Amino acid sequence: FPKFLFVQALYYVFIFSLLLYLVFYYLYFFFFFFQAEDGIRDAQESRGLGDVYKRQAFYICEGSYFSQMHTVQLMEQWLTQKNKDLGATHAISIRSYHSQEISSPCILLVAEFCPFIESSGTKGEDFRNLTTEKFMRLRPKETRERYESIVRKMEDSIKPVYTVNSIGDGLLALKMCFIPDRVSYMAPLITLINSISGAVVCKKFCETMSNGMHVYTYYVRGAQINELVQAAGLIGMLPNYPKRATTKLYNSNVIDANEVIYYNTLIHFAFFFTPPSRSEDFSELARELRHKEMAGRRLVNLRKEMFQSIMSMDFISKVVIEHIDLLKLIFKDFMAGPTPDSC
């Protein structure tokens, strides 16, 4: 009988401990996930399920680089399709909440579309008209002023504008504004920051403006200011070629941003400046037509067209993938600069 009471007591202690753990875990999860920008809690509106399904999407992934990239690519596919359906009348808002204190880090991504207030797209327009009602309601005055400041700087710039500030406790805030040629630059930014040794992203935000500008805010721990500045400076030089080999290799973390720029330069140089080979047959035809100017020009143009159809971007990209190790050696030699041996 006493043994039965002891077992029963252990059972109740176990149930109570489990309930207590679940309560604390819920509070812990809520605290670390649902904090908005600048520590302001992101209030939730009451809305119908139909509206949520139409304009909102939620994604949860592991904290690893490849899991993030896969999830972000899925999210960008949804954003691209919804953007086509809604047109330029809605802003894209992306929020990323990271839980890195628990043993299995995970990330919550929230993407949604909100209608713009009103905009003519003219320079110097009232900042309120560039955003949404939700943005103006939830962001504190200081945050809105920071957004407006970087948007105004972008109006007078042809390249991305960014700021990097230390906000204490080893945390850096990267805010960047630019006019992209794609629905989101979240994936390239993740890859750039991932290339910094020891850098960990704590929170991410993206807001689009009705004048076509995107504003990204990244909170990063474990990086130096100069490292983050250098990474941010590369984003404006990354061309958007989704089907090109360099983009695929970059998104797979095989090459970094500096290599993308270098390899794309090589590809363009090879495509436009590599001279076609001069065969004996061509030389013989050229001699036969040396007194016929028009026919000679047609022969030269024909050779160029045939060469470019073979030396296509697809062909060059295939060569890049097959010989990436060799290209990495060439890039390493290029970065080393001139040496007595190379001269």
Side-chain angles (χ1 to χ4, degrees):
F1 184 72
K3 183 178 180 181
F4 172 76
L5 290 177
F6 178 72
V7 172
Q8 192 175 30
L10 284 177
Y11 172 76
Y12 284 121
V13 169
F14 172 76
I15 295 298
F16 178 76
S17 301
L18 181 62
L19 290 174
L20 194 63
Y21 171 79
L22 291 174
V23 169
F24 276 103
Y25 183 80
Y26 172 78
L27 292 174
Y28 183 87
F29 181 87
F30 184 85
F31 177 78
F32 281 106
F33 268 106
F34 296 98
Q35 288 189 15
E37 189 174 359
D38 296 333
I40 304 301
R41 237 171 249 251
D42 195 354
Q44 296 297 313
E45 297 176 328
S46 176
R47 63 186 76 184
L49 287 176
D51 186 46
V52 171
Y53 292 141
K54 287 178 181 178
R55 297 182 182 176
Q56 279 189 336
F58 300 86
Y59 300 84
I60 297 179
C61 66
E62 296 177 351
S64 67
Y65 168 77
F66 291 104
S67 179
Q68 284 190 68
M69 291 298 291
H70 176 70
T71 306
V72 167
Q73 287 167 7
L74 291 176
M75 180 190 69
E76 289 181 345
Q77 290 175 11
W78 179 80
L79 289 172
T80 301
Q81 182 57 48
K82 294 299 294 183
N83 199 41
K84 291 179 181 177
D85 297 338
L86 295 172
T89 60
H90 286 66
I92 297 174
S93 177
I94 304 172
R95 303 184 300 281
S96 171
Y97 305 105
H98 299 232
S99 177
Q100 295 160 340
E101 286 77 5
I102 59 179
S103 58
S104 299
C106 54
I107 298 172
L108 171 65
L109 286 164
V110 182
E112 70 174 324
F113 286 86
C114 299
F116 288 118
I117 296 175
E118 183 182 359
S119 175
S120 62
T122 58
K123 180 178 177 180
E125 184 177 6
D126 185 0
F127 179 71
R128 172 185 171 83
N129 293 339
L130 300 177
T131 61
T132 66
E133 289 283 359
K134 185 174 182 178
F135 178 92
M136 297 300 296
R137 184 172 66 255
L138 297 182
R139 296 300 194 281
K141 181 181 178 181
E142 295 78 8
T143 302
R144 295 197 303 267
E145 288 175 350
R146 283 195 289 271
Y147 271 86
E148 182 174 7
S149 174
I150 201 165
V151 167
R152 297 306 179 204
K153 290 179 181 177
M154 186 62 211
E155 288 180 339
D156 298 319
S157 176
I158 59 174
K159 61 181 183 179
V161 174
Y162 56 88
T163 60
V164 178
N165 299 305
S166 174
I167 57 177
D169 195 26
L171 200 62
L172 300 179
L174 165 66
K175 191 175 291 290
M176 176 178 290
C177 181
F178 51 88
I179 302 177
D181 53 359
R182 56 197 286 179
V183 67
S184 167
Y185 259 91
M186 187 162 280
L189 277 169
I190 290 173
T191 304
L192 280 173
I193 296 175
N194 186 71
S195 66
I196 302 174
S197 178
V200 177
V201 178
C202 301
K203 289 184 287 186
K204 300 189 286 284
F205 299 91
C206 169
E207 297 287 345
T208 64
M209 305 292 160
S210 59
N211 58 3
M213 295 182 187
H214 287 204
V215 180
Y216 287 82
T217 306
Y218 276 55
Y219 292 90
V220 183
R221 192 183 302 278
Q224 300 297 321
I225 290 182
N226 61 325
E227 293 177 322
L228 205 53
V229 167
Q230 184 178 6
L234 291 172
I235 192 66
M237 295 185 285
L238 285 176
N240 180 29
Y241 302 120
K243 296 181 180 180
R244 186 167 292 182
T246 49
T247 303
K248 295 176 182 178
L249 292 170
Y250 176 73
N251 289 337
S252 300
N253 209 26
V254 176
I255 60 178
D256 61 28
N258 290 293
E259 290 175 288
V260 171
I261 297 168
Y262 180 74
Y263 298 151
N264 279 326
T265 303
L266 288 182
I267 289 172
H268 279 87
F269 184 87
F271 182 77
F272 289 106
F273 297 105
T274 301
S277 58
R278 194 179 182 93
S279 64
E280 292 184 7
D281 291 338
F282 176 82
S283 299
E284 183 65 27
L285 285 171
R287 281 194 295 269
E288 291 290 333
L289 299 173
R290 65 181 181 275
H291 299 301
K292 299 179 181 180
E293 184 178 352
M294 291 299 296
R297 289 180 182 176
R298 289 180 61 185
L299 178 64
V300 172
N301 292 334
L302 179 62
R303 183 179 67 150
K304 288 181 179 178
E305 291 174 4
M306 292 177 64
F307 176 77
Q308 288 184 354
S309 65
I310 299 172
M311 194 73 169
S312 63
M313 287 294 186
D314 291 337
F315 174 77
I316 298 173
S317 295
K318 184 180 178 181
V319 172
V320 168
I321 292 176
E322 292 177 351
H323 302 280
I324 187 61
D325 292 336
L326 176 60
L327 286 172
K328 278 181 168 290
L329 290 175
I330 296 173
F331 176 73
K332 184 179 179 180
D333 183 67
F334 169 78
M335 293 299 292
T339 62
D341 294 335
S342 64
C343 296

